[in-house]
Amino acid sequence: DIQMTQSPSSLSASVGDRVTITCRASQTISGYLNWYQQKPGKAPKLLIYAASSLQSGVPSRFSGSGSGTDFTLTISSLQPEDFATYYCQQSSSTGTFGQGTKVEIK
Amino acid sequence: QVQLQESGPGLVKPSETLSLTCTVSGGSIISYYWSWIRQSPGKGLEWLGYIYYSGSTNYNPSLKSRVIISLDAAKNQFSLKLSSVTAADTAVYYCARAGALITPWDFDFWGQGTLVTVSS
C-alpha cells in the first residue's frame, strides 16, 4: 500500500500570504499526484492533477510541483475563499489520500 | 455540467449490507470510470472501488471481499453494495467520476455525499 503523508496538519495564515503544503509518498509515484480542496459539508474539489496541471476553472494562484515521492501545493496569495482543508492523493494505484491540511484564518 | 447524486438508506444495521446508488445527469456514463469514496473522521478519505462503463471493476484490496459495484447504463446509474457492515463503516459516502484526465483516480466530478450510519 502507498501511504501519503501531508505536512503540516494545520496552519494559520492571513489573506495575501503565500502558503505551501507538502505531501510525501511512501514510495515513488512518478507524477501521479492530485490536490483537492474541501470546505465543510461539501465534496472535495479537484485543484491540481498530475502534480502540476491546473484543473479547468481553478484560479492560477494555485500551483503544484514535485515528482517521485515529494510534492508541494502552493497558494501564491491566499484569498478569503481559500480557507479550507487540502488533501493530496496519489493516482498511481488505489487512489490513497493524505490525511489533510486545514488552512485557518490567522 | 455533469452532476452526480447519491441515494440510499441513511441507517444500516450491523452485519447487514449497505446499498447506495449514484445517478449521473448532464452527461453520459459512457467512457468514464465511476468510483465510490467514503470519508470518516477515523480513516479520512478512502477510495472503495470503481467500475468502468464496460463493466470492468477494480476494488480497494482492503475492502475487496465486501464490495460490489455495478452499473446500469440505461438508467445512467451505478451502485455500491458493502456487505457485513460494522460501526467502522459509518461515513459520508461519495460517488465520483474519473477518466477525463489521466488516470482512473483523477476525480473531477463528485456527488454531494450521503451520510450512512451503521447502528442497531
Side-chain angles (χ1 to χ4, degrees):
Chain A
D1 271 15
I2 302 173
Q3 307 302 318
M4 307 301 295
T5 304
Q6 288 180 236
S7 61
S9 56
S10 65
L11 64 91
S12 295
S14 301
V15 172
D17 283 354
R18 181 181 182 88
V19 169
T20 299
I21 299 168
T22 64
C23 179
R24 174 165 287 175
S26 60
Q27 63 190 72
T28 183
I29 56 171
S30 187
Y32 295 110
L33 193 284
N34 301 329
W35 290 97
Y36 297 84
Q37 176 194 67
Q38 187 178 34
K39 296 181 179 179
K42 300 292 187 182
K45 172 188 173 183
L46 181 64
L47 300 176
I48 302 284
Y49 65 96
S52 59
S53 295
L54 195 67
Q55 172 65 345
S56 177
V58 174
S60 60
R61 61 181 180 273
F62 291 95
S63 64
S65 64
S67 66
T69 61
D70 294 310
F71 301 86
T72 300
L73 172 71
T74 299
I75 309 172
S76 61
S77 177
L78 197 66
Q79 298 302 298
E81 60 268 30
D82 300 337
F83 292 97
T85 301
Y86 294 84
Y87 294 93
C88 64
Q89 177 221 10
Q90 61 86 7
S91 56
S92 173
S93 70
T94 73
T96 317
F97 292 85
Q99 81 279 16
T101 296
K102 187 173 185 179
V103 177
E104 299 175 300
I105 301 171
K106 193 171 190 177
Chain B
Q1 179 81 337
V2 174
Q3 292 186 313
L4 293 81
Q5 178 69 58
E6 304 88 353
S7 60
L11 181 64
V12 181
K13 289 183 169 52
S15 80
E16 294 190 346
T17 296
L18 179 161
S19 296
L20 295 174
T21 295
C22 182
T23 301
V24 180
S25 59
S28 174
I29 209 163
I30 303 295
S31 298
Y32 295 102
Y33 295 86
W34 302 96
S35 279
W36 288 97
I37 299 156
R38 68 183 181 181
Q39 185 172 30
S40 62
K43 287 194 135 185
L45 286 160
E46 181 180 29
W47 171 76
L48 304 182
Y50 68 63
I51 186 164
Y52 190 46
Y53 78 100
S54 62
S56 63
T57 55
N58 186 12
Y59 300 130
N60 189 320
S62 67
L63 293 159
K64 188 172 183 176
S65 62
R66 297 199 291 134
V67 174
I68 296 174
I69 297 175
S70 58
L71 181 146
D72 186 335
K75 293 183 178 179
N76 249 28
Q77 293 177 334
F78 63 105
S79 298
L80 168 72
K81 290 190 185 303
L82 180 66
S83 61
S84 304
V85 298
T86 69
D89 295 308
T90 294
V92 175
Y93 285 76
Y94 295 99
C95 55
R97 188 191 86 164
L101 299 172
I102 298 176
T103 81
W105 294 279
D106 300 334
F107 305 120
D108 58 351
F109 286 97
W110 296 62
Q112 65 186 24
T114 187
L115 174 63
V116 178
T117 301
V118 178
S119 175
S120 54

